Amino acid sequence: MQYKKTKLNQVKRGHKKAAYDKKTIHAILDATEICHIAFIYEGRAMVQPINFGRKGEYLYIHGSHQNRMTQALMDAGQITLSVMLLDALKLTRSAFHHSVNYRSVVVFGKVKELTNPEEKLLGLKTIVNHFVSDRWAHCRTPNDKELLATRVLEIKIESASAKIADQPNSEHKKDLDLDYWAGQIPVKQVYGEPVSASDLKPGLEIPEHVLAFCRRGETQ
Amino acid sequence: MQYKKTKLNQVKRGHKKAAYDKKTIHAILDATEICHIAFIYEGRAMVQPINFGRKGEYLYIHGSHQNRMTQALMDAGQITLSVMLLDALKLTRSAFHHSVNYRSVVVFGKVKELTNPEEKLLGLKTIVNHFVSDRWAHCRTPNDKELLATRVLEIKIESASAKIADQPNSEHKKDLDLDYWAGQIPVKQVYGEPVSASDLKPGLEIPEHVLAFCRRGETQ
């Protein structure tokens, strides 16, 4: 299954790195904690990082009712967001060919505010379980007051594209004989040992869903 | 030295996490490989990740002359960009109080295209040395053809703000007695051992500037 190529999501530069299949795009979204959301505020393009969750063709974010970003998204009714995982720094003999290996996704979607408490709870559950798998089952669910205090936005993915750079360095043949070192520095995001809260109730151990998450070792 | 607080850069939500001093903001920018740039394309807010460099109050990015982002930035004459370093996942007893520790910066700037070859070279040097410190001295500098093929944009930082969340979990007192585990999972970006290119000229070793970069261990 692929996202349809439109003028918006079709990759123009580096089109050989482009992917439109849903499996690839969803996997990159699921491996990422933070997305960057674009919005317009008083005529100016703005960008803000935020955590999110995905369930099928829907993404969920939440924020305060006073937040200018969530208000701008509601006013526009649409959203553009981007995620990126950096995988390697590519050091070439020529300054010009320095590059990175990465996996990125851009999503174009329609935005709807969830107002039904049951739908809001499902949106928040998706966000918390995207954070750490199965986390929702191991914490107190939001009460009515908390639900009222937060705004939950549902994003229907309308189109999307991925760019994946995972190749060896690219250089001009005539540069290969230069006396400069070339290679790649791998980059990854790792999780450390979980640290229990200082006010943890005696007798509680680090639960299996947290240990399993940390065993993933990195965000992929 | 502080960036002046304006309507644009003043942090409204979580203002206790806000910082406006240049030293803090520059340090976060310098610890980050990738920024996310907002721009407007056909009336729609867009966002794209890209690498960059910083020298004093100026940031530099580069791209193709055909790139819709660099064109949109030139048309607007201004830019908003954001960087974020994720430091910890904060798992609380209540779903509602889950959060992250992080360091983020948003920059508002004026954009100018560099056309003088000497200025373009300095911009590219700043980008390459932001990538890996001192890298420019250890690779071939761009030739005239390469300089013509790329567009270098100079961003004058007009205002900026940082948000730094580095605190223990925050929870309601009445939740502390629940039988749920709470704590933090540290997150960091690490660099692996550098991998030499398969077509490396015999006799070339991994140079000290690359080893020193990898010894940093993480992006801070």
Side-chain angles (χ1 to χ4, degrees):
Chain A
M1 287 289 287
Q2 301 244 330
Y3 289 107
K4 194 178 164 189
K5 286 185 214 176
T6 67
K7 192 181 170 191
L8 262 184
N9 74 326
Q10 187 153 10
V11 174
K12 298 196 180 51
R13 310 297 306 167
H15 60 88
K16 286 182 187 168
K17 302 187 185 88
Y20 300 91
D21 70 282
K22 294 186 173 188
K23 194 177 166 191
T24 300
I25 287 168
H26 292 174
I28 294 170
L29 288 168
D30 292 350
T32 317
E33 274 91 6
I34 302 293
C35 68
H36 280 78
I37 290 179
F39 60 103
I40 296 176
Y41 175 71
E42 297 192 351
R44 182 168 188 144
M46 306 280 277
V47 54
Q48 191 173 309
I50 194 169
N51 65 317
F52 69 100
R54 182 186 72 85
K55 189 178 176 75
E57 294 299 323
Y58 294 90
L59 303 180
Y60 298 89
I61 58 172
H62 75 113
S64 147
H65 288 283
Q66 284 80 44
N67 181 279
R68 66 182 173 188
M69 180 179 76
T70 57
Q71 190 53 50
L73 294 175
M74 286 307 302
D75 292 345
Q78 61 186 18
I79 191 170
T80 307
L81 64 87
S82 169
V83 303
M84 176 165 175
L85 298 165
L86 182 62
D87 292 324
L89 306 180
K90 299 165 82 166
L91 310 185
T92 50
R93 296 153 182 99
S94 67
F96 193 73
H97 291 89
H98 278 64
S99 178
V100 292
N101 276 341
Y102 64 93
R103 290 160 288 158
S104 72
V105 161
V106 60
V107 167
F108 303 95
K110 288 280 179 210
V111 178
K112 185 176 97 172
E113 179 172 356
L114 300 180
T115 51
N116 175 303
E118 289 304 313
E119 288 183 336
K120 285 180 83 167
L121 274 176
L122 278 174
L124 293 173
K125 178 179 177 179
T126 305
I127 294 170
V128 167
N129 280 341
H130 184 102
F131 208 67
V132 169
S133 187
D134 204 28
R135 180 70 193 154
W136 188 261
H138 298 89
C139 57
R140 175 178 67 71
T141 50
N143 57 36
D144 292 348
K145 193 178 162 193
E146 289 169 340
L147 267 190
L148 277 175
T150 196
R151 192 172 205 173
V152 182
L153 301 187
E154 178 182 84
I155 298 158
K156 167 87 170 73
I157 304 178
E158 294 214 301
S159 71
S161 58
K163 273 182 93 173
I164 299 175
D166 58 1
Q167 295 297 306
N169 293 357
S170 171
E171 295 214 63
H172 285 314
K173 272 191 180 170
K174 63 181 179 193
D175 286 332
L176 298 182
D177 199 41
L178 294 174
D179 284 331
Y180 294 121
W181 180 85
Q184 296 192 5
I185 301 175
V187 183
K188 63 178 179 177
Q189 182 170 290
V190 297
Y191 303 112
E193 289 290 313
V195 180
S196 296
S198 59
D199 54 9
L200 194 69
K201 202 173 167 183
L204 288 179
E205 309 245 320
I206 299 172
E208 177 53 29
H209 73 284
V210 173
L211 295 172
F213 176 83
C214 294
R215 275 198 298 268
R216 294 198 315 172
E218 56 185 270
T219 53
Q220 350 213 9
Chain B
M1 289 288 287
Q2 300 243 331
Y3 288 107
K4 194 178 163 188
K5 285 185 215 176
T6 67
K7 190 181 171 193
L8 261 184
N9 73 327
Q10 187 153 11
V11 174
K12 298 194 181 52
R13 309 299 305 168
H15 61 88
K16 286 183 188 168
K17 302 188 185 89
Y20 300 92
D21 69 284
K22 293 186 175 189
K23 194 176 165 191
T24 300
I25 288 169
H26 292 173
I28 294 171
L29 288 168
D30 292 350
T32 317
E33 274 90 6
I34 301 294
C35 68
H36 280 78
I37 291 179
F39 60 102
I40 297 176
Y41 174 72
E42 297 192 351
R44 182 171 189 141
M46 306 280 277
V47 54
Q48 190 173 309
I50 195 170
N51 65 317
F52 69 101
R54 183 187 73 85
K55 190 178 175 72
E57 294 299 323
Y58 293 91
L59 303 180
Y60 298 89
I61 58 171
H62 75 114
S64 148
H65 288 282
Q66 284 80 45
N67 182 280
R68 67 182 173 188
M69 180 180 76
T70 57
Q71 190 53 50
L73 295 174
M74 286 307 303
D75 292 346
Q78 62 185 16
I79 191 171
T80 308
L81 63 87
S82 168
V83 303
M84 176 165 175
L85 297 165
L86 182 62
D87 292 323
L89 306 181
K90 299 165 83 166
L91 310 185
T92 51
R93 296 155 183 95
S94 67
F96 193 73
H97 291 89
H98 279 63
S99 179
V100 291
N101 276 341
Y102 64 92
R103 291 160 288 158
S104 71
V105 161
V106 59
V107 167
F108 303 96
K110 288 278 180 211
V111 178
K112 185 176 95 172
E113 180 172 355
L114 299 180
T115 51
N116 175 303
E118 289 303 313
E119 288 182 337
K120 285 179 83 168
L121 274 176
L122 278 174
L124 293 173
K125 179 179 177 179
T126 305
I127 294 170
V128 167
N129 280 342
H130 185 102
F131 208 69
V132 170
S133 188
D134 203 27
R135 180 70 193 155
W136 187 260
H138 298 89
C139 57
R140 175 179 67 71
T141 52
N143 57 35
D144 293 349
K145 193 179 161 193
E146 289 169 340
L147 267 190
L148 277 175
T150 196
R151 193 172 206 174
V152 182
L153 301 187
E154 179 182 84
I155 297 157
K156 168 86 170 75
I157 304 178
E158 295 214 300
S159 71
S161 58
K163 274 183 91 173
I164 299 175
D166 58 1
Q167 295 298 305
N169 293 357
S170 171
E171 296 212 63
H172 286 315
K173 271 190 180 171
K174 63 181 179 193
D175 286 331
L176 297 183
D177 198 42
L178 294 174
D179 284 329
Y180 294 120
W181 180 85
Q184 296 191 3
I185 302 175
V187 182
K188 64 178 178 177
Q189 183 171 287
V190 297
Y191 303 112
E193 289 290 312
V195 180
S196 296
S198 59
D199 54 10
L200 194 69
K201 203 173 167 182
L204 288 178
E205 309 244 318
I206 299 170
E208 178 54 30
H209 71 285
V210 173
L211 294 173
F213 176 83
C214 294
R215 275 198 297 268
R216 295 197 314 172
E218 57 185 272
T219 52
Q220 350 213 6

